[in-house]
Amino acid sequence: MNATATQTSQTASGSAIGAFIAALLIGGAIIFVTGHVQAETLHDAAHDVRHATGFPCH
Amino acid sequence: MYGKVFTGALFAGFAAGLIAAALQLYFVQPVLLHAELYEGGDLIHFGSESTVPAHQDVGGIDLMRDGLSVLFTVLVYTGYAFIMVGAMALASERGHSVDARRGILWGLGGFVAVHFAPAFSLPPELPGVAAADVVARQIWWFGTVAASAIAVALIAFGRNWAAWGAAVVLLLAPHVIGAPQPEVFTGPVPPELGGEFAGRALGVGLAAWVTLGCFAGFFWQRETQGAPQPA
């Protein structure tokens, strides 16, 4: 019983760290592309949001 | 676990992003459009005698431009939501309860780390203001946000003075090092508009982050209801 509980807890803990890292990478990539990439089309489309959200823009 | 995090993040980010977009369009966008009249030279502030009225017609809704702003605001807050819900998964796995009410605290923490900390040395800037090289500022911005986010987590979940002390160092360091600043101030925009813009951007940011945290906590709890609760 104890062994099973420990096993479950370890698996769950591992998957939370994995999910956190995956979410961090996906979220970070979205923020980088929408808020920080300087390509002209992206910059122009996101211009107002970048200013209003406090990102360095120009 | 992955599915719960991603579903919660998409719902929370979309909902908070829409509210943030509405607040930005109503409160921040008119100040930005007003400043663009100075940036483009339609109005001149630092002339020999300034007789330009402080109230200007800045136009109404521009469907294309404002539509893109709504889309990108939703995207930005969805990005934040991914990171926040991912962190909530980690926290609830370690026995911390996460729900809509506690989510408000998460939102406040996120606001401090992502919005307020960088603004302390690099306040939200209007188009046309003087600023240092954009890449240098972006590097400083990411470093500051990362350090401040770790600091907020250490304050919230640390259990001893070593953790809290490290948090204080991480919060102060980016500002002691200093943000990239322009060599000279050359902006054509009245400082009153710059101040109003910074205040409004921060205020809307606070509202948006509190909303995001609340939604993230709500959807995370919903996604995980029925799953075995950690002790």
Side-chain angles (χ1 to χ4, degrees):
Chain A
M1 191 63 191
N2 274 344
T4 318
T6 314
Q7 183 74 36
T8 314
S9 147
Q10 277 175 353
T11 315
S13 169
S15 85
I17 287 172
F20 171 64
I21 292 170
L24 187 67
L25 292 176
I26 294 171
I30 295 173
I31 291 157
F32 183 68
V33 172
T34 52
H36 299 273
V37 171
Q38 287 295 315
E40 196 177 338
T41 318
L42 257 180
H43 170 275
D44 292 351
H47 174 268
D48 296 354
V49 176
R50 290 183 180 191
H51 279 281
T53 317
F55 295 145
C57 189
H58 297 284
Chain B
M1 178 63 73
Y2 286 74
K4 286 174 188 167
V5 170
F6 293 180
T7 312
L10 286 174
F11 276 115
F14 187 75
L18 280 185
I19 290 170
L23 289 171
Q24 277 180 8
L25 284 179
Y26 189 82
F27 288 109
V28 185
Q29 188 71 6
V31 188
L32 188 148
L33 292 175
H34 194 166
E36 282 188 345
L37 295 177
Y38 288 95
E39 187 193 19
D42 297 309
L43 301 178
I44 296 182
H45 175 60
F46 297 104
S48 48
E49 61 256 358
S50 193
T51 52
V52 180
H55 297 280
Q56 295 286 335
D57 179 13
V58 295
I61 295 282
D62 176 337
L63 269 186
M64 181 67 180
R65 180 174 181 170
D66 295 338
L68 281 171
S69 290
V70 172
L71 173 70
F72 276 91
T73 307
V74 167
L75 280 171
V76 166
Y77 279 94
T78 303
Y80 290 145
F82 265 91
I83 298 172
M84 184 182 279
V85 179
M88 283 177 167
L90 208 53
S92 63
E93 205 82 272
R94 286 162 185 238
H96 301 282
S97 306
V98 176
D99 55 26
R101 277 180 72 222
R102 289 183 179 85
I104 291 172
L105 283 176
W106 281 76
L108 284 173
F111 168 75
V112 168
V114 176
H115 229 108
F116 192 73
F120 187 71
S121 288
L122 216 55
E125 57 204 31
L126 276 171
V129 301
D133 173 57
V134 66
V135 176
R137 284 181 294 138
Q138 286 177 331
I139 292 169
W140 186 87
W141 188 92
F142 273 107
T144 303
V145 168
S148 309
I150 294 169
V152 168
L154 284 172
I155 291 169
F157 299 111
R159 291 179 191 280
N160 53 50
W161 282 103
W164 299 323
V168 170
V169 171
L170 283 171
L171 280 175
L172 291 177
H175 309 285
V176 173
I177 294 167
Q181 299 291 349
E183 297 287 329
V184 286
F185 295 131
T186 57
V189 179
E192 292 87 345
L193 279 182
E196 185 182 14
F197 184 82
R200 290 230 161 150
L202 283 172
V204 167
L206 175 59
W209 269 96
V210 166
T211 311
L212 176 65
C214 189
F215 279 127
F218 173 79
F219 285 114
W220 176 252
Q221 193 190 28
R222 235 173 93 104
E223 287 295 317
T224 50
Q225 245 167 20
Q229 292 296 313

